[in-house]
Amino acid sequence: MNLAAYLAYHALGRPRHPAIVDAGRTISHGELDLMVRRAAAWLRSQGVAPGDRVGVRLSDSAEHLIHLLALARLGAIALPLDWRWTRAEVERVARRFVPKLVLDEPDANLLSDVLQVTPGARWTTVEPDAQPPHGGADTPLLVSLSSGTTGEPRGPTVTHGEMLARFMTQFVTLTFNGDDTYLCATPLYFGAGRSFCLSHLIAGATVCLLPPPFEADDLLAAVRRWQPTTMFLVPTLLRRLLPLADADGQAPLLPSVRALVSSGSATHAEERAAILMRLTPNLFDYYASTEGGGISVLAPADQLSHAGTVGRPAFAVAVEVVDADDRAVAAGTVGRLRYRGPGVAADAGDGTRRPGGWFYPGDLAAIDGDGFVTLKGRAADVIIRGGVNIFPAEIEQVLLAHPGVREAAVVGQRSRERGEEIAAFVVAGN
């Protein structure tokens, strides 16, 4: 069903339960459904119809989430645009995906050949949309950009059904539920920040918005104010919180959090151990991609015993490691990782469908006999030295195990004798 249709259930079943806490105001689930229907009616008055692409370049606020859900209700396709981007960056994406209009902040820079519309407060006074939500599982929901602000913009179009399947993975594997209070401390343009907020709202939970930028002290103050049960933080933020745990003397520093999700980049084994001891024992490492959502999860119980892995496959996701001919390899053998599941976008982003439903994120990996996935690096990053394949990630892990090394990065360097040689960049520890 259309994702926006779930809001009406919560408006009836828990009308006074907080849905969004933002900038000193609280929006209940009863109010959220009404506001989404008002925003949908206003967007319809601006000419937005089912199947239209609409750029969303709004700040990290309740209005951002409301208009995403309103577009979903209309059967329109959201095109996420970071409100921090320059004019040139926005126009590059707009030329590629041609939105009918762009929802913008009042002080946004003007764009060439793109209709900009500022929601402001005008949508708050219109009559709520009385039409039922348009479309269902196969209706396109949003363009999931995966190339950032450089290169050719690309990304598949994710449907309502595919996004709901990703939410189900979060409910089952990450244990999100309707009784949670989720602290969003990441930009809503980012796929994880947007997805986790929407999944909590669809579940009937509470979302508290802490728009970046902020200092680590501000994040800790927000945790103590709202007492969140679920959070998503990129490793950089986790590293900034660790010194506060030492200074505060409270262990763990995040006692209310029963599910702390880390994703976006790798955390090293010793960092995970410190997070478990000083921040929360409830750490989930989430390996995911823009194109298909969750791939695997390293659950709290497995953090120490399988610290070198990215965990087991997520709910309803099949993960394989294959050779160059797409044949599955034996357990423990390194090859190309691929995965499929109901959350993987069938649209490959270039007008084609994915053969067999498989998506190849470009990573090399091995899967052991218990199903734990170990990443070995990017397929394009393999160093071939004298005919031997060398995986930079393995050398980096060895370097990082040395007490005098704080950070390490390994790359290939051209060599006349051996084709490639190993080059390591190291930041010394204290």
Side-chain angles (χ1 to χ4, degrees):
M1 116 170 90
N2 185 300
L3 288 180
Y6 288 91
L7 302 180
Y9 292 105
H10 303 312
L12 289 172
R14 46 174 55 192
R16 297 182 183 178
H17 190 76
I20 303 175
V21 180
D22 172 38
R25 61 175 170 166
T26 299
I27 299 170
S28 70
H29 275 281
E31 293 168 331
L32 178 62
D33 181 56
L34 183 64
M35 294 170 84
V36 167
R37 291 194 290 121
R38 288 189 190 279
W42 176 77
L43 287 166
R44 197 189 303 278
S45 74
Q46 301 300 304
V48 176
D52 286 343
R53 289 197 189 98
V54 176
V56 180
R57 189 169 63 150
L58 299 174
S59 61
D60 303 313
S61 64
E63 282 71 23
H64 191 134
L65 295 171
I66 288 167
H67 283 83
L68 282 177
L69 290 165
L71 290 170
R73 182 181 180 87
L74 292 177
I77 306 169
L79 174 65
L81 302 169
D82 195 336
W83 70 286
R84 303 163 186 82
W85 283 353
T86 65
R87 169 178 169 174
E89 289 168 337
V90 175
E91 289 186 338
R92 180 164 56 246
V93 175
R95 283 195 298 271
R96 166 67 176 83
F97 292 100
V98 195
K100 184 165 188 175
L101 55 87
V102 171
L103 300 178
D104 237 326
E105 295 293 334
D107 56 351
N109 47 30
L110 296 178
L111 304 174
S112 304
D113 303 321
V114 180
L115 176 61
Q116 291 170 269
V117 177
T118 301
R122 291 178 292 170
W123 64 273
T124 62
T125 58
V126 302
E127 287 296 316
D129 186 37
Q131 298 186 31
H134 178 87
D138 295 331
T139 302
L141 175 68
L142 60 84
V143 177
S144 192
L145 294 177
S146 58
S147 63
T149 60
T150 61
E152 177 67 21
R154 58 188 175 86
T157 298
V158 180
T159 67
H160 285 247
E162 289 162 351
M163 186 60 73
L164 181 59
R166 298 183 188 192
F167 293 169
M168 289 299 299
T169 294
Q170 296 168 22
F171 299 157
V172 174
T173 307
L174 300 179
T175 72
F176 296 168
N177 65 71
D179 292 326
D180 278 322
T181 296
Y182 172 66
L183 175 55
C184 176
T186 51
L188 294 177
Y189 162 74
F190 288 180
R194 178 178 62 243
S195 175
F196 290 157
C197 280
L198 293 177
S199 70
H200 278 84
L201 292 176
I202 294 303
T206 301
V207 172
C208 299
L209 297 176
L210 179 66
F214 49 76
E215 299 297 328
D217 287 333
D218 300 322
L219 176 57
L220 181 57
V223 169
R224 290 175 173 170
R225 180 168 68 251
W226 289 321
Q227 295 291 299
T229 57
T230 50
M231 293 176 64
F232 160 64
L233 295 176
V234 295
T236 299
L237 289 175
L238 293 172
R239 294 178 184 118
R240 291 175 182 173
L241 281 176
L242 284 171
L244 297 185
D246 295 332
D248 184 85
Q250 175 180 321
L253 189 66
L254 311 174
S256 68
V257 178
R258 61 166 196 79
L260 174 60
V261 181
S262 173
S263 189
S265 62
T267 52
H268 306 301
E270 67 276 10
E271 291 177 324
R272 293 177 185 173
I275 292 166
L276 292 168
M277 179 71 68
R278 291 147 62 187
L279 298 186
T280 177
N282 305 313
L283 175 65
F284 291 78
D285 271 278
Y286 195 44
Y287 171 44
S289 77
T290 303
E291 291 83 357
I295 303 172
S296 65
V297 176
L298 186 62
D302 300 318
Q303 287 286 338
L304 297 179
S305 59
H306 294 82
T309 78
V310 290
R312 289 185 169 110
F315 173 72
V317 175
V319 181
E320 286 189 351
V321 172
V322 298
D323 60 19
D325 296 318
D326 290 330
R327 294 174 300 196
V329 300
T333 304
V334 177
R336 294 187 302 159
L337 183 142
R338 69 180 185 179
Y339 74 106
R340 66 182 175 187
V344 176
D347 165 30
D350 57 5
T352 64
R353 309 288 284 182
R354 302 190 191 283
W358 292 106
F359 173 64
Y360 295 72
D363 291 322
L364 295 171
I367 302 178
D368 68 18
D370 293 320
F372 286 91
V373 180
T374 300
L375 298 181
K376 299 295 185 178
R378 299 289 292 172
D381 293 341
V382 175
I383 300 170
I384 304 176
R385 181 180 182 271
V388 177
N389 290 346
I390 298 172
F391 306 110
E394 292 184 345
I395 301 176
E396 290 168 357
Q397 289 298 322
V398 172
L399 293 172
L400 289 167
H402 192 284
V405 175
R406 183 154 52 100
E407 295 182 41
V410 172
V411 297
Q413 177 179 296
R414 288 186 180 182
S415 168
R416 288 186 177 181
E417 180 181 0
R418 298 183 181 276
E420 282 187 292
E421 238 348 314
I422 300 167
F425 297 82
V426 173
V427 177
N430 295 329

